Amino acid sequence: MNVYRCETCGNEIFERRAVCPGCLDERFVEVESGEPEPFVSSMLTVTPAGFEDSYELIIGTLGKTKAIYRRV
Ligand SMILES: [Zn+2]
């Protein structure tokens, strides 16, 4: 998975934003952060239309930030 790293302060975020929450710079570089390390998960069994009947939603550490993702 990839993260966006601020070119000025090195802060990393999972979802790209207009500005860095650390220093307000607008310049990011996309970097590979490897696989996230899960620390909490939840199995969803009531899902919106168009999704599988159930899937696992996970919050994990990815580089210097956190990511929310679905187990594939
Ligand atoms: Zn920054």
Side-chain angles (χ1 to χ4, degrees), residues 17-33:
R17 299 180 186 181
V19 296
C20 172
C23 69
L24 304 181
D25 196 334
E26 299 174 355
R27 295 172 297 143
F28 294 93
V29 60
E30 189 172 356
V31 296
E32 171 65 38
S33 257

Side-chain angles (χ1 to χ4, degrees), residues 3-22:
V3 296
Y4 295 94
R5 180 178 296 149
C6 174
E7 291 186 16
T8 300
C9 72
N11 189 30
E12 292 182 349
I13 54 178
F14 180 60
E15 295 286 335
R16 187 173 179 138
R17 299 180 186 181
V19 296
C20 172

Side-chain angles (χ1 to χ4, degrees), residues 49-66:
F51 286 79
E52 298 93 5
D53 291 340
S54 66
Y55 59 85
E56 188 175 15
L57 196 59
I58 304 167
I59 299 175
T61 302
L62 181 64
K64 300 176 187 173
T65 189
K66 306 285 187 286

